[in-house]
Amino acid sequence: MTKLMVEAVDVHKRFGSLEVLKGINLTVEQGQVACLLGPSGSGKSTFLRCINHLEKIEAGTIRVAGDTVGYAERGGRLHELRETEVAAQRRRVGMVFQRFNLFPHMTALENVAEAPVQVLGRSKSDTRRRALELLDEVGLSNKADVYPSALSGGQQQRVAIARALAMEPELMLFDEPTSALDPELVGEVLDVMRRLAESGMTMIVVTHEIGFAREVGDVAVFMDDGVIVETGDPQEVLVDPSEERTQSFLSKVL
Amino acid sequence: MTKLMVEAVDVHKRFGSLEVLKGINLTVEQGQVACLLGPSGSGKSTFLRCINHLEKIEAGTIRVAGDTVGYAERGGRLHELRETEVAAQRRRVGMVFQRFNLFPHMTALENVAEAPVQVLGRSKSDTRRRALELLDEVGLSNKADVYPSALSGGQQQRVAIARALAMEPELMLFDEPTSALDPELVGEVLDVMRRLAESGMTMIVVTHEIGFAREVGDVAVFMDDGVIVETGDPQEVLVDPSEERTQSFLSKVL
Amino acid sequence: GCSPASDSGESADATDTAVEVAGVAITVDNAARAALPQKYSDAGSVKVATDVPYAPFEMFESEGSDVITGVDYDLGQAIGAKLGIDFDFEQQKFDGIIPALQAGKVQVAISAMTSSVDRMDVLTFVDYSASGTGILVEKGNPAGIETYLDLCGQKLAVQSGASQIDLVAVWQDECSSAGKGAIALSEYPKDSDAQLAITSGKVIASVLTKPSAGFVAKTANDGNTFEVIDDPAAPTGYDSTLNGIGVLNADAALADAIQLALQSLMDDGTYMTILEAYGVEGIAIEAATINAAKS
Amino acid sequence: MTATQQPVATPSAGTRLAGRSRPAPVQAVPLRHPGRWFAAIIVALFTTSLLLSIAQNPNLDWPTVGEYLFAPLTLSGLATTLYLTVAAMVIGLSGGIVVAVMRLSPNPVLRVVSGLFVWVFRGTPVLLQLIFWGFIGAFVPKLVIGIPFTSIEFWSVSTSDIIPATVAALLALGLNEMAYASEIVRAGIQSVDLGQTEAAHSLGMSPGKTLRRIVLPQAMRVIVPPMGNEVITMLKTTALVSVIAGHDLMSNLQAAYAQNYKIIPLLVVAAIWYLVLTSVLNVPQMWLERRYGRGVAGARVGAVGWLLRLRKKESQ
Amino acid sequence: MTATQQPVATPSAGTRLAGRSRPAPVQAVPLRHPGRWFAAIIVALFTTSLLLSIAQNPNLDWPTVGEYLFAPLTLSGLATTLYLTVAAMVIGLSGGIVVAVMRLSPNPVLRVVSGLFVWVFRGTPVLLQLIFWGFIGAFVPKLVIGIPFTSIEFWSVSTSDIIPATVAALLALGLNEMAYASEIVRAGIQSVDLGQTEAAHSLGMSPGKTLRRIVLPQAMRVIVPPMGNEVITMLKTTALVSVIAGHDLMSNLQAAYAQNYKIIPLLVVAAIWYLVLTSVLNVPQMWLERRYGRGVAGARVGAVGWLLRLRKKESQ
Ligand SMILES: Nc1ncnc2c1ncn2[C@@H]1O[C@H](COP(=O)(O)OP(=O)(O)OP(=O)(O)O)[C@@H](O)[C@H]1O
Ligand SMILES: Nc1ncnc2c1ncn2[C@@H]1O[C@H](COP(=O)(O)OP(=O)(O)OP(=O)(O)O)[C@@H](O)[C@H]1O
Ligand SMILES: [Mg+2]
Ligand SMILES: [Mg+2]
């Protein structure tokens, strides 16, 4: 039961002259929910994108379910993977973006069914049935044939979650999934995420919803300026942080 | 001191078969801050857009500073205004959008200086100086030459406010100015708005920031399903609402 | 050398001065001038459209210059001199010649046009020469063509829209009755493209009017690329047809005047002199006629 | 400052009976556009009298137009034009997508090769390209498989034999169109939000799938109108193939008027057919614009400021 | 489930000394693209040997190319081509913007008029349009100001006199280009977010100002590449004006080769000049693309998935 899902060792990432990640170490076990917090620009999104190899790291290693992200170890050496192999790795990781990024030219149902059919080669009818189930799970079975432009933000985000789940990932990454939503709509998305966590999904969630982090999170990670300042039980880190930077941040957010 | 800045009488608005505003009556005096609250889809944005004649109303009247919006009264009859006359009316009203809508091809300074030069025919150097002052007032004097894509959400929204203020409006409309922002960044925008209110600007603010509404608002307006359900002192409406719908909404938001 | 009628002036009376074309001094022919419609003698000039270059009928004096010369040009100048007016030649691409006439921008077309019954719907022709078809082949005549019947079973090029297409159709019949293979004919928009087809080996010969063929053979790459087949059975080329000076049918009176002037040039020998200057005596006809073509 | 409590509209009246007991709608004198209507009438009058004067002009010679409109040479030319256009556009668009993707690739080799391709094929006259492919024998007498820069040849063939005229025409038109289409496709791809690509990647879609299923369909909105231009241009460019033989609509009619001198009537025949083809083309273009405009752009269309309505209403 | 407390990187070491004491960078065998390089080498070899074989071909006749490259007839043709292209494109683009705005207008009169305009001017052959304007006397013998449908005339003039050939050529090319440009501009305008227009309106900007200052600059990103295509096409279309006089590069060279039969060398001269013009044109195009690409599209360019980098890096 202590299979490691994510292992990041001394991860460094720079954009030009700006070093954004300055040695990140983090492990997340299977079934855990890790909540990432920290001020804007601290590198939370960048770290999440590195886990999914949307960004290439300069130093360190990231392993997801034991496999080095973006590389294959053969004969004791790392070999860069080709695009299609990276794509295969990404199938096991679902990602939900702050700005939803639904495909505007497809209905909600098509958004959810696209990847399983195209990537996994599933049959259309099976996928359609499964997609409807997923939309039902996020409470949107009645919006299956609606285009994203006609959905509210909260509805769009729930479709985005269903879309990621349709690939049956082992790990879900959430990048501030509720921060572009009206406060009213935040609840419905957090509910979906809470149920997902209860079902045993491993999740890394960048969020400012302290309540959610305390209630659902197994571990809270506070980042600042490219480093992890504090990790630990959310009840401790978020209630009685030991680091001064964490304290000052929480005082602003709460 | 009791000059009426906004007078809406029995305003009706429909999109196709959907009636979105079902008879809105509201007056805002000069110098007042009115906060509009209500669930998603209740018509708050639509009402704000009607005040600025971005939408044309089907029935009723809206007057801003005594002038009927979109019409001229001549010889006891209403005459539709031409585009350029509507544009002239809009100069007296500033609007800040939820999604900022900064001009992406212009720097922060150019965004602010554009309308005074183009619309009011101000001199470039004067406007530039004034624009820098405004950017300074919203705390962004060091970002004058930066393009919007390189600004954080909060910074973009503050530029948007400066841009609207550069036209020296008599009335400012805010449509959920902080709802697309990270919680950390909300404060900086609300601060700017608070200072603006203190300086005597008449404002109509659609917001879910109950704290802001209670502290800064002179009147709170609760809308639902195209009608105003409750108006009154924010301390009353937001703390101890008389209508059941208001109560249930507030319980969700708080 | 030729010197255009340069000083006939605006006045219709100043016509006594002789104009020199191809070394011959030409004076006004009164009968022809009398037939000229009033508006042209008043104007003192007509505009003539010609599609340059189509050697040796019309070409530029030297490359890049816009001074026009050639058989047609000289004949035009001579006719003008007989009529006592200027024939102002203007370069005009073929597609624009008829529209230019119809728009009234020019009044006469002298552009080595073959007269045909079809075309008489649009134009009235004063016939001024006849030319037949020649066969142009690569220098040295590698395929050994001696007469048109040797083209049977070979690849042949022609300019699209040219009258040679019909002629080749007649040859086809003769080929098949002689038991030989058919001619594979490809059409190209310009003669020059057809010639390119010869050098690139796509065809072995191209058919075009014999005077042009002679001129191409003589001038292209200093006479080292092509040659013309000389069939003793048809010295002026196969299937000679009349070439005409065209005016709009509505302007038939002008055609009458031009015919008289041309006949006068034939009678006094100037006509032959001009043809000889370009080495194309072979295209001469007996008398100036109007719309004499029968097909 | 105190709140001005307005008599609040009772929810029941306003809400429940909405649409029945409508209040008095805004009674206003609508904005008149006298200048606009005046201009419209002038334009209409002018156009009509111009058209009438043109139509009655004897130079137009309507009987000839009628005679040639469905003449065999017109119809067979039309067939060639259509065939060449469709085939060249298929080559051009599909190749253009490949070239556009190569131009946007991070790989320097691909970028340079595709850049050169576009430079050469847009930059040289189509006529030269047609002559090159049509008379390739004049440029490259034979094709040799052997060791370059030596005289060792394993296999060789005369180029004039292997490229027949129609293939040459298609090659020339298709390659030329590829260069133009690639620029249009590039503009289209660049107009699609980067977040779309990232979302597709994070779903495990390969770059190719992402391009085909996510990026291109959204780029279509920007690609379709200029590609419409390209198709119409191609319809007419096919006339140039007459240089290497092949009889499209325009060259057939040109050959005919070279014979009978009825230039204007035959050009009118060409114009009529091109107009018909262009109108027919409008149908798929409008369908594509509607299809790929779906779900994009603001569902919100303001009632004021006509620039606000500078885009078609979405049908959701 | 409990949190796995990893040894947390001490902030000081990681942060303060960042960039100095770099940790071991990822040591990996980089991805090789043997196929890509193989293809590149094949393409390079093939192109070189083709070019060599072409260059050495006697039909190309380099001395003639050299002789004509700067011949007066080439240079004067070049001047005409440039002048016509610039003038026609200025007319075409500015008129095209007007037509595009009319097509997107809510006013039915404007929409119908502009729709018809595009239909007719894109749909008919340029040759016919050139002949129409060049020989307008053949279509409309005289222009009359009078009462339509009666014989009352106040003033009349023969059309052949009022439109000189160069004006006719510009009219024809310019109007034709307007129709094409309007479609490109329309696609550009439609690609701009509606929120931009609303923001401009709410600042009191008039529709015209909004178009000029806000919408068009953002549309440029989508407009520039296909307009580049149009300019290059126009460069070559100018050759058609030879039918109504005017001697552009191509018709001068065609006239020369009709006389001296040096077709291929002279077409190569044309190709060289067109390539030069196209290359020169690339400079303003790239400048415009950079200028108007500024600030748009994600500043975020991922390191992985080359489609992610399907757009140029922004220079901020
Ligand atoms: N593609 C990029 N190129 C250059 N700089 C970048 C890029 N992506 C991110 N950055 C910079 O890296 C830093 C970290 O960004 P990141 O988005 O990871 O922060 P974050 O913690 O997610 O912040 P936020 O809460 O605002 O989302 C910021 O300074 C940002 O400007
Ligand atoms: N242009 C439009 N066409 C059709 N329906 C529209 C349009 N604009 C708004 N609506 C509809 O009008 C209703 C009210 O919308 P509005 O945006 O005013 O609500 P809101 O109170 O601002 O909600 P939110 O809090 O989500 O912004 C919604 O049902 C919406 O879908
Ligand atoms: Mg982030
Ligand atoms: Mg709203």
Side-chain angles (χ1 to χ4, degrees), chain A residues 182, chain B residues 15 18 20 39-46 176 208, chain D residues 299-301:
Chain A
D182 290 354
Chain B
F15 290 113
L18 181 74
V20 176
S40 186
S42 56
K44 307 180 297 294
S45 299
T46 304
E176 308 198 30
H208 292 114
Chain D
R300 202 159 247 186
V301 177

Side-chain angles (χ1 to χ4, degrees), chain C residues 94-99 102 113-114 116 118-119 121-123 125 160-163 166 186-189 193 196-197 200-202, chain D residues 59 131 133-135 137-138 160 163-165 242-247 251 254-264 267:
Chain C
F94 168 76
D95 305 77
I97 289 183
I98 307 298
Q102 290 170 334
M113 294 193 284
T114 303
S116 77
D118 247 1
R119 294 171 176 182
D121 277 356
V122 180
L123 295 183
F125 292 98
S160 51
S163 54
D166 298 333
S186 334
E187 293 179 28
Y188 294 92
D193 301 319
L196 187 58
S200 70
K202 293 213 117 184
Chain D
N59 287 329
I131 288 180
W133 297 110
F135 304 114
S160 276
I163 305 190
S242 61
V243 78
I244 52 171
H247 303 272
S251 19
Q254 280 177 323
Y257 72 59
Q259 201 69 274
N260 63 17
Y261 286 2
K262 294 175 177 170
I263 297 181
I264 294 177
L267 280 176

